Amino acid sequence: MAEPKKIDFNERGGRGSNSRRSKGVDDVAESLLESKGADEFAEKVVFINRTAKVVKGGRRFHFSALVVVGDKKGKVGVGFGKAGEVSDAIRKGSELAKRNMVTVALREGTIPHEVFARFGGAEVLLKPASLGTGVIAGKTPRAVLELAGVRDVLSKSLGSSNPVNVVKATVDALKSLRLREEIYQVRGKEIKKPETTQSNQEKTEEVKQ
């Protein structure tokens, strides 16, 4: 009796099979999703878009990649690269992000105050959170917040869900953060230190005397 033929799922199929397609955009994005180079900057690919142009010989594809770069210590940048290949689009986006780095004011792993920002149709609200809360955010703003070094924050994305607008609104919100020391310095005022109060032990000693 002849043995049953083994089916090889990697074998090239006929018309309609997915094996004829080249490596998908999602697969390439997953392999290049997060990397860390010698310059100690972490990178995340937030969104990859593919466009097709119909020409005489067929369809011509182009790719655009939204990349976020940060050192997780208060610096973050966003870049939007376009190219004929996914890897080239990611590389261009990474270079643009490193060129457009901004400094974020942080306090003990969270943001110093509540902030709201709008870019296009996207609106982002950020609120400080207590230690151990974590980054409560969606996929798109989470990439910016984590690479900026925020460990505890509450966020809400309002309006449009376009990844480009949401990322830029998040960056604008982080750029508008100010520490109390900076605000007092701009106003030309000094921060008043709280008066030292006597401890309970000193008070009890005075009562005994």
Side-chain angles (χ1 to χ4, degrees):
M1 184 175 178
E3 295 181 359
K5 184 180 178 182
K6 295 182 179 180
I7 299 175
D8 185 5
F9 292 98
N10 295 324
E11 187 179 359
R12 290 180 63 90
R15 184 176 180 183
S17 66
N18 293 329
S19 59
R20 297 178 60 188
R21 296 170 57 188
S22 59
K23 192 174 184 182
V25 176
D26 295 336
D27 297 335
V28 178
E30 186 68 25
S31 62
L32 298 173
L33 184 61
E34 186 172 356
S35 61
K36 198 166 185 179
D39 52 359
E40 297 300 326
F41 282 115
E43 301 177 5
K44 278 191 177 180
V45 180
V46 178
F47 176 74
I48 291 181
N49 186 39
R50 185 183 73 173
T51 59
K53 180 182 179 182
V54 179
V55 294
K56 188 176 181 181
R59 290 189 297 174
R60 187 175 298 171
F61 295 104
H62 283 82
F63 301 90
S64 57
L66 181 63
V67 184
V68 181
V69 176
D71 62 353
K72 298 184 179 181
K73 297 178 182 178
K75 288 186 178 181
V76 68
V78 177
F80 192 67
K82 299 179 181 179
E85 297 292 337
V86 177
S87 57
D88 293 336
I90 294 175
R91 178 181 53 81
K92 288 182 179 180
S94 176
E95 292 175 355
L96 290 172
K98 291 177 183 178
R99 228 178 287 163
N100 301 322
M101 300 284 285
V102 297
T103 303
V104 181
L106 303 177
R107 183 183 293 278
E108 298 178 357
T110 187
I111 57 177
H113 56 82
E114 182 178 327
V115 64
F116 176 83
R118 181 186 292 109
F119 189 93
E123 299 175 350
V124 174
L125 174 66
L126 302 178
K127 290 184 177 182
S130 58
L131 182 64
T133 303
V135 179
I136 308 300
K139 177 184 175 182
T140 306
R142 175 186 292 272
V144 180
L145 294 169
E146 288 181 346
L147 292 182
V150 182
R151 298 190 299 271
D152 303 295
V153 69
L154 302 172
S155 71
K156 181 66 177 177
S157 179
L158 308 168
S160 172
S161 61
N162 185 304
V164 179
N165 289 344
V166 172
V167 165
K168 291 186 177 180
T170 307
V171 173
D172 288 347
L174 294 176
K175 284 167 59 178
S176 62
L177 293 173
R178 293 291 182 271
L179 294 174
R180 183 174 63 171
E181 292 79 6
E182 296 178 3
I183 297 174
Y184 272 70
Q185 186 177 2
V186 171
R187 295 179 179 179
K189 296 183 179 181
E190 295 182 358
I191 300 177
K192 295 181 180 179
K193 296 181 180 180
E195 297 179 358
T196 56
T197 58
Q198 292 179 332
S199 62
N200 293 333
Q201 185 177 0
E202 293 178 350
K203 289 181 179 179
T204 54
E205 290 178 357
E206 289 181 358
V207 171
K208 289 180 181 180
Q209 291 177 358

